[in-house]
């Protein structure tokens, strides 16, 4: 590993050295002009952008104090110049051909006052504008009905190809394990903590959602399901800009939430901070029916449980950016959260045995609580090295996270009506985990001849986790004694990576991007209690290719392909045993290896709005949850195993329509073909199925400041590993009222209006015969009261970039 670190530092020094190379000045297109009002007065800080006639941002700038702007670009495209500023109507030029070497001066551009005033200038579109680029789809959320009264998890769940299940797990194009980022920075959270964090983030603070199905080599290779990048609002005011909101949700339990955002700029220093407090309360009604085949006949277990949970998540996200010079910026980002949860699981089980007249009964009470503290810091530097567009950026990230949880499982057993003569046992669990993650990376963007752009970079990450699991048992009222399944597990992971991508154009209608990423991994898992050490060391290459063909003004096709890796969650590698109840346990697997997926996609885009997408992926050593039953002891154990291979083919159609000026609809239909193959114990699993998902979103802009949204969702029956899930659907609706010239808004949303989001599943494989029915109190009502305040002139806050690996693996 010392040799690998030395090589990494050598390459880093080399990369910094080549950044001084520059391309010829003739390769730069220069678009200039001056923005002024109708009276000829300059308009400072206006947004000036080159927008492709086929959709998508090409390049942009902000006018200076005198209204003067200059856009330098190395790209080739047919574009419009678009100028916008708060309080003025948007100006759009005639189309022109952008190419390296072009010099075009628009002179004085006069834009008209927006007579309706500032509050009406903030366009409240009924549905989000979707921009399709070669490597991602951008959903513009800002100013839409979609954002009002919703949270970040809601908005993600309504983006193209994304489905969020009732537990907050994010599925992208039929695949789990999507990587979630905020302003290009990692979240470093488990799936449960991430869901609660996103629930606490108001959608009104979001500018756009970037859905990246097949990420390029610039992104970390981690995450087989792609990347979802949340871009927060960047336009604010010189002085003070912000908002305050309060709200709550009732679904049988009341859960409040509140938040505040403040942005301040003075001179070269721009700062912003957001504090949110969110409670999420849920109850889960769960029915499980298990049949065990014995020599004497079938033994049946019928278990009814109610799990009541409450999560409290206060969080802070703050950043500062200082303009060192005209072409240099230094930024700092701090994310901090301290979440806690309390869970109460009450279950009763009736056991029917062959040849036994009286039933056996088990009554269990599992009470648990946990707390997680997380601190993430990012130090960012970026510089423009020359007038040709050569850019260098560097990031240092440091994350610490500690979790502690305790649980007491109290079980009582009896036969027939003889409850008083039954027996009792107790199991106490103490689980402490501590993580440290350090990452560093550097990226270089280099314009080349002929309008090509070279991107290259290096990254290193060093992860350490320490998990101490203590189990103790007690019989009847006796003392607790240490259980032999207690275990301490220490995990170390070092990953060094390098990448290179090349962007260019074959011709004005055909562009490409090709990249290659290499990652070296060195992993050590040490079970201290078992005196067992597992090591893994491997090097992998991850290629990616994107081709964008603009067939005509109203039709384009985007092709992309890549290879990805997903490493196991740190906790899953710990050979622990965690008891959910006396019949069910979860077990870790120290022999888990990474899964690799190869992905292909072809996206047809018509009129910049209608999408028809074909996708295909093959995953080797895929992670899947496996259920095993012990017929003699009549217990069930779940663990994560590497499947030999899974396949997914999908077709997705996105169809937005404007029915009336006040009524828009966005519709999505997605069909999936899933295949699972693997050996489980002595049996071979080979199953496949075609399933589909439909979503319709109806948006209404009504008189007197009212807006309404109705969302309907349906998922057909589907298979998932050993399991078969029945079809289900639900309907959500919401209404928003604007007050005080849009400074104040009140939103009321109803979820699962008809109480139909019920999940039914069955496992009928080998000797397993188990059925589930679950409802997670999804039916409820949520309200949000939000107040916006602003003072000062428009400006743009820089968006720093942190590393993008190791996230979502803390579960």
């Amino acid at each position: 590993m010392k040799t690998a670190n030395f090589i990494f530092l050598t390459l880093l020094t080399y990369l910094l050295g080549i950044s001084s190379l520059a391309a010829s000045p003739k390769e730069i297109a220069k678009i200039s002009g001056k923005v002024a009002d109708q009276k000829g007065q300059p308009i400072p800080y206006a947004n000036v952008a080159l927008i492709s006639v086929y959709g998508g941002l090409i390049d942009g700038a902000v006018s200076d104090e005198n209204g003067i702007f200059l856009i330098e670009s190395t790209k080739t495209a047919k574009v419009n110049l678009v100028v916008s500023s708060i309080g003025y109507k948007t100006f759009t030029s005639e189309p022109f051909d952008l190419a390296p070497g072009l010099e075009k001066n628009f002179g004085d551009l006069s834009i008209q006052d927006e007579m309706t005033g500032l509050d009406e200038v903030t366009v409240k579109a009924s549905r989000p504008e979707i921009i399709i680029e070669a490597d991602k789809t951008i959903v513009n959320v800002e100013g839409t009905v979609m954002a009002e009264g919703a949270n970040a998890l809601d908005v993600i769940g309504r983006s193209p190809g994304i489905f969020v299940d009732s537990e907050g797990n994010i599925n992208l194009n039929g695949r789990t394990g999507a990587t979630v980022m905020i302003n290009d920075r990692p979240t470093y959270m488990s799936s449960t903590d991430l869901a609660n964090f996103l629930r606490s983030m108001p959608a009104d603070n979001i500018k756009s959602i970037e859905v990246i199905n097949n990420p390029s080599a610039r992104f970390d290779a981690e995450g087989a399901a792609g990347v979802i990048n949340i871009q927060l609002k960047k336009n604010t005011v010189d002085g003070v800009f912000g908002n305050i909101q309060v709200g709550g949700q009732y679904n049988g339990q009341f859960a409040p939430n509140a938040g505040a955002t403040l942005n301040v700029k003075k001179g070269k220093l721009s700062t912003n901070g957001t504090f949110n407090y969110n409670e999420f309360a849920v109850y889960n009604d769960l029915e499980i029916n298990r049949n065990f085949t014995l020599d004497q006949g079938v033994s049946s277990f019928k278990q009814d449980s109610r799990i009541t949970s409450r999560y409290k998540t206060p969080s802070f996200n703050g950043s500062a950016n200082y303009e060192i010079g005209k072409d240099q910026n230094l930024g700092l980002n701090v994310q901090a959260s301290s979440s806690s949860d309390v869970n109460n699981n009450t279950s009763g089980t009736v056991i029917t045995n062959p040849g036994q007249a009286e039933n056996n009964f088990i009554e269990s009470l599992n009470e648990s609580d946990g707390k997680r503290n997380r601190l993430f810091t990012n130090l960012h530097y970026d510089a423009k090295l020359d007038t040709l567009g050569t850019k260098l950026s560097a990031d240092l990230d440091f994350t610490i996270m500690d979790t502690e949880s305790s649980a007491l499982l109290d079980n009582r057993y009896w036969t027939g009506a003889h409850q008083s003569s039954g027996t009792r046992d107790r199991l106490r669990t103490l689980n402490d985990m501590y993580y440290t993650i350090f990452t560093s990376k550097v990226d270089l963007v280099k314009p080349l001849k002929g309008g090509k752009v070279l991107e290259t970079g290096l990254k290193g990450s060093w992860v350490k986790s320490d998990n101490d699991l203590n189990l103790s048992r007690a019989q009847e009222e006796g003392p607790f004694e240490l259980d032999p399944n207690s275990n301490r597990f220490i995990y170390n992971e070092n990953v060094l990576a390098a990448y290179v991508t090349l962007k260019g154009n074959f011709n004005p209608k055909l562009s490409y991007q090709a990249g290659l990423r290499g990652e070296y991994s060195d992993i050590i898992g040490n079970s201290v209690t078992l005196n067992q050490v597992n090591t893994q060391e491997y090097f992998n290459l991850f290629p990616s290719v994107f081709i964008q063909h603009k067939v005509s003004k109203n039709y384009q096709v985007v092709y992309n392909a890549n290879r990805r890796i997903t490493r196991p969650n740190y906790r899953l590698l710990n050979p622990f045993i965690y008891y959910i109840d006396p019949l069910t346990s979860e077990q870790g697997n120290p022999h888990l290896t990474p899964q690799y997926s190869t992905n292909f996609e072809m996206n047809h885009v018509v009129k910049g709005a209608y999408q028809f997408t074909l996708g295909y992926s093959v995953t080797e050593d895929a992670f899947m949850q496996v259920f095993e039953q012990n017929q003699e002891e009549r217990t069930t154990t779940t663990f994560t195993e590497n499947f030999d291979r899974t396949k997914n083919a999908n077709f997705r159609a996105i169809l937005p329509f404007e029915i009336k000026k006040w009524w828009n609809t966005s519709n999505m239909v997605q069909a999936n073909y899933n295949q699972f193959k693997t050996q489980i114990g002595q049996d071979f699993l080979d199953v496949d199925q075609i399933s589909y998902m439909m979503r319709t979103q109806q948006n209404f802009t009504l008189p007197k400041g009212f807006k309404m949204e109705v969302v309907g969702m349906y998922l057909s029956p589907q298979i998932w590993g050993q399991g078969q899930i029945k079809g289900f659907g639900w309907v959500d609706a919401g209404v928003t009222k604007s007050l005080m010239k849009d400074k104040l808004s009140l939103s009321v949303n109803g979820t699962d209006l008809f109480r139909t989001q019920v999940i039914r599943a069955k496992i009928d494989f080998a000797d397993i015969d188990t059925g589930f029915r679950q409802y997670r109190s999804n039916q409820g009502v949520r309200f949000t009261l939000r107040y916006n305040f602003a003072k000062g002139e428009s400006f743009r806050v820089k968006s720093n970039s942190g590393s993008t690996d190791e996230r979502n693996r803390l579960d």
Side-chain angles (χ1 to χ4, degrees):
M1 187 61 204
K2 291 182 179 179
T3 303
N5 281 326
F6 175 76
I7 295 173
F8 174 75
L9 292 173
T10 302
L11 289 172
L12 178 63
T13 303
Y14 170 74
L15 184 60
L16 291 172
I18 67 170
S19 66
S20 60
L21 299 177
S24 169
K26 296 180 180 179
E27 299 168 5
I28 298 298
K30 296 183 179 181
I31 311 300
S32 59
K34 180 179 179 180
V35 184
D37 61 18
Q38 294 166 288
K39 298 179 181 179
Q41 295 298 313
I43 301 176
Y45 312 116
N47 294 312
V48 187
L50 296 175
I51 304 295
S52 168
V53 296
Y54 304 108
L57 174 67
I58 302 299
D59 270 309
V62 177
S63 64
D64 63 16
E65 292 83 354
N66 299 313
I68 297 172
F69 66 88
L70 172 64
I71 301 177
E72 296 179 329
S73 179
T74 61
K75 301 177 182 177
T76 300
K78 194 171 189 66
V79 298
N80 300 103
L81 182 78
V82 178
V83 181
S84 62
S85 182
I86 294 177
Y88 297 89
K89 292 182 179 179
T90 299
F91 167 85
T92 303
S93 74
E94 293 295 322
F96 64 94
D97 293 320
L98 176 70
L102 173 69
E103 292 192 9
K104 188 176 181 65
N105 190 329
F106 279 85
D108 291 341
L109 289 175
S110 178
I111 59 178
Q112 296 180 348
D113 293 339
E114 180 61 71
M115 300 305 294
T116 53
L118 176 63
D119 294 327
E120 273 66 28
V121 172
T122 305
V123 179
K124 298 289 185 179
S126 293
R127 61 178 174 85
E129 178 188 0
I130 296 178
I131 298 174
I132 298 95
E133 297 185 356
D135 56 350
K136 62 188 173 185
T137 298
I138 303 173
V139 183
N140 288 318
V141 178
E142 184 176 11
T144 67
V145 176
M146 186 180 184
E148 297 181 7
N151 58 52
L153 193 63
D154 295 329
V155 174
I156 288 175
R158 298 172 194 172
S159 299
I162 299 177
F163 162 63
V164 178
D165 65 23
S166 60
E167 297 182 2
N169 298 311
I170 299 172
N171 296 263
L172 179 56
N173 296 328
R175 294 174 288 170
T176 59
T179 295
V180 178
M181 301 160 56
I182 299 173
N183 280 355
D184 306 313
R185 304 183 187 108
T187 51
Y188 295 119
M189 297 184 196
S190 70
S191 57
T192 300
D193 290 337
L194 177 62
N196 290 326
F197 181 80
L198 294 176
R199 289 188 186 103
S200 72
M201 180 185 295
D204 291 289
N205 290 338
I206 297 174
K207 178 185 178 184
S208 63
I209 304 288
E210 296 178 355
V211 182
I212 309 170
N213 295 324
N214 295 319
S216 68
R218 180 174 64 88
F219 289 87
D220 298 312
E222 176 72 31
V227 172
I228 299 168
N229 188 20
I230 302 171
Q231 292 286 351
L232 302 181
K233 290 182 180 178
K234 299 175 184 177
N235 284 334
T236 184
V237 292
D238 190 3
V240 179
F241 164 86
N243 57 70
I244 300 172
Q245 72 167 29
V246 294
Q249 180 171 353
Y250 181 79
N251 59 357
Q253 302 181 76
F254 178 72
N257 62 74
T261 299
L262 183 66
N263 298 267
V264 180
K265 181 178 185 295
K266 184 177 182 180
K268 296 182 178 181
L269 180 64
S270 305
T271 63
N272 63 74
T274 299
F275 175 80
N276 291 307
Y277 175 82
N278 181 69
E279 288 192 21
F280 177 66
V282 63
Y283 66 80
N284 185 2
D285 286 334
L286 178 64
E287 300 174 10
I288 305 176
N289 294 295
R290 289 179 262 207
N291 296 317
F292 297 85
T293 303
L294 309 177
D295 294 338
Q296 305 87 347
V298 176
S299 176
S300 298
F301 285 54
K302 179 177 173 53
Q303 181 178 352
D304 292 310
S305 302
R306 166 160 281 204
I307 307 166
T308 303
S309 305
R310 181 175 291 271
Y311 302 88
K312 299 180 180 180
T313 308
S315 61
F316 171 78
N317 185 1
S319 62
N321 185 84
Y322 183 74
E323 299 177 6
I324 301 174
K326 180 181 178 181
D327 298 321
Q328 297 185 75
N329 293 279
L330 184 66
L332 175 68
N333 176 236
V334 177
Q335 300 172 12
S337 63
S338 178
S339 60
S340 61
D341 62 85
V342 177
N343 305 276
N344 187 299
N345 180 359
T346 303
S347 67
T349 305
V350 180
I351 304 173
T352 304
N353 294 314
Q356 181 176 316
E358 294 185 305
N359 293 332
N360 294 333
F361 298 88
I362 303 176
E363 184 180 81
S364 299
L365 174 62
N366 193 346
E367 296 179 318
S368 65
D369 61 76
K371 188 172 184 179
R372 288 157 300 280
N373 298 308
R374 182 185 71 97
L375 177 65
F376 164 76
T377 58
N378 162 256
L379 183 64
H380 173 84
Y381 170 81
D382 66 76
K384 183 178 178 181
L385 303 181
D386 53 39
T387 60
L388 309 172
T390 304
K391 297 178 182 178
L392 178 71
S393 64
D395 289 90
L396 293 176
D397 294 350
F398 182 67
T399 303
I400 56 174
M401 179 174 175
D402 67 87
T403 72
E404 55 182 42
S405 63
S406 62
L408 179 62
L409 175 59
D410 193 338
N411 306 305
R412 297 179 184 272
Y413 312 83
W414 71 92
T415 301
H418 312 293
Q419 183 173 2
S420 59
S421 60
T423 60
R424 179 192 183 197
D425 65 42
R426 291 171 292 159
L427 176 67
R428 185 169 61 196
T429 303
L430 302 175
N431 194 12
D432 294 331
M433 290 181 282
Y434 183 77
Y435 304 91
T436 59
I437 303 173
F438 176 74
T439 64
S440 63
K441 70 170 187 172
V442 59
D443 299 280
L444 176 70
V445 179
K446 180 70 178 174
L448 302 175
K449 293 182 179 180
K452 298 181 179 65
V453 178
L454 177 71
E455 295 183 7
T456 186
L458 297 171
K459 180 186 175 184
S461 69
W462 296 266
V463 178
K464 181 176 181 179
S465 71
D466 191 339
N467 182 193
D468 194 5
L469 176 67
N470 288 291
L471 303 176
S472 55
R473 293 181 180 272
Q475 299 295 326
E476 301 298 342
E477 302 299 326
F480 284 93
E481 297 180 358
L482 187 66
D483 187 279
N485 289 312
S486 297
N487 183 50
R488 185 183 177 195
F489 184 73
I490 299 175
Y491 176 85
N492 288 276
E493 174 188 281
N494 304 318
V495 178
L496 304 180
Y499 77 91
V500 60
T501 67
L502 181 66
K503 300 178 183 179
N505 297 284
F506 294 115
N507 56 54
K509 290 188 175 183
L510 196 63
S511 60
Y512 66 88
Q513 176 179 318
L516 182 65
R517 187 180 185 91
E519 292 191 354
Y520 166 80
S521 303
D522 182 20
I523 298 171
I524 300 175
N526 180 14
S527 177
V528 178
T529 305
L530 300 178
N531 194 26
Q532 176 181 330
V533 177
N534 292 286
T535 62
Q536 297 181 44
E537 186 175 359
Y538 48 87
F539 175 79
N540 295 114
L541 293 175
F542 303 96
S544 62
V545 178
F546 301 84
I547 297 177
Q548 186 173 26
H549 184 196
K550 299 173 181 176
V551 181
S552 67
K553 179 180 179 180
N554 293 320
Y555 177 49
Q556 63 175 309
V557 186
V558 180
Y559 308 86
N560 60 64
N562 71 0
R563 183 171 185 258
R564 306 280 290 167
I565 185 176
T566 304
R567 299 176 180 87
N569 291 336
Y570 311 133
R571 188 180 68 91
L572 293 179
L573 294 167
N574 184 357
F576 67 91
I577 297 179
Y578 178 77
Y579 291 91
I580 302 169
D581 56 51
L583 306 173
T584 313
S585 62
E586 181 185 0
Q587 186 171 331
N589 182 2
H591 303 293
L592 272 179
T593 59
Q595 70 175 27
Y596 297 89
S597 64
T598 304
N599 312 293
F600 305 91
E601 187 178 81
M602 180 171 59
N603 190 11
H604 299 258
V605 185
V606 179
K607 293 185 178 180
Y610 307 101
Q611 295 186 62
F612 304 91
T613 306
L614 284 171
Y616 180 73
S617 68
V618 178
T619 303
E620 306 288 344
D621 297 325
F623 303 146
M624 293 298 298
Q625 189 177 32
V626 173
F627 292 79
E628 284 191 352
Q629 284 189 175
N630 186 310
Q631 298 297 100
E632 295 301 321
E633 297 182 3
R634 290 173 288 178
T635 58
T636 302
T637 301
T638 69
F639 56 92
T640 301
E641 183 66 279
N642 287 112
F643 273 33
D644 294 337
R645 175 177 291 182
T646 65
K647 294 181 180 179
N648 171 267
N650 61 78
F651 168 76
R652 181 176 68 252
I654 298 175
L655 305 169
F657 299 103
E658 183 179 82
I659 300 173
K660 299 287 185 180
K661 289 186 177 180
W662 50 270
W663 178 10
N664 283 289
T665 177
S666 179
N667 308 281
M668 184 188 76
V669 178
Q670 179 166 318
N672 288 290
Y673 168 78
N674 287 301
Q675 182 188 72
F676 302 89
K677 285 186 177 182
T678 196
Q679 186 79 28
I680 301 178
Q682 301 299 315
D683 301 286
F684 186 73
L685 177 72
D686 185 359
V687 293
D688 61 357
Q689 186 183 41
I690 295 176
S691 61
Y692 61 92
M693 174 175 66
M694 298 186 298
R695 179 173 64 219
T696 181
Q697 184 175 331
Q698 310 292 325
N699 298 290
F700 306 91
T701 302
L702 305 176
K704 298 184 179 180
F706 282 96
K707 301 177 184 70
M708 187 171 69
E709 176 188 76
V710 180
V711 179
M713 186 87 176
Y714 177 75
L715 281 79
S716 75
Q718 56 186 295
I719 59 171
W720 195 251
Q722 296 165 289
Q724 304 168 29
I725 306 172
K726 293 186 177 181
F728 63 99
W730 67 94
V731 175
D732 298 338
V735 61
T736 299
K737 167 65 174 174
S738 297
L739 305 165
M740 298 172 58
K741 296 183 179 180
D742 283 353
K743 291 183 179 179
L744 188 69
S745 65
L746 175 64
S747 301
V748 180
N749 296 273
T751 56
D752 193 16
L753 299 182
F754 305 106
R755 201 180 175 86
T756 54
Q757 199 172 350
V758 180
I759 299 175
R760 298 177 177 89
K762 184 175 180 60
I763 299 176
D764 188 3
F765 173 75
D767 56 359
I768 303 178
D769 181 7
T770 300
F772 305 85
R773 182 188 186 277
Q774 175 179 277
Y775 185 74
R776 284 179 55 87
S777 67
N778 298 301
Q779 188 180 57
V781 61
R782 181 174 64 220
F783 72 90
T784 304
L785 184 65
R786 181 181 180 88
Y787 176 74
N788 298 302
F789 57 89
K791 182 180 180 181
E793 297 175 343
S794 175
F795 81 107
R796 183 175 295 272
V797 176
K798 300 287 183 179
S799 175
N800 297 340
S801 173
S803 62
T804 57
D805 203 354
E806 303 82 39
R807 73 203 48 77
N808 293 335
R809 295 176 53 215
L810 302 177
D811 194 7

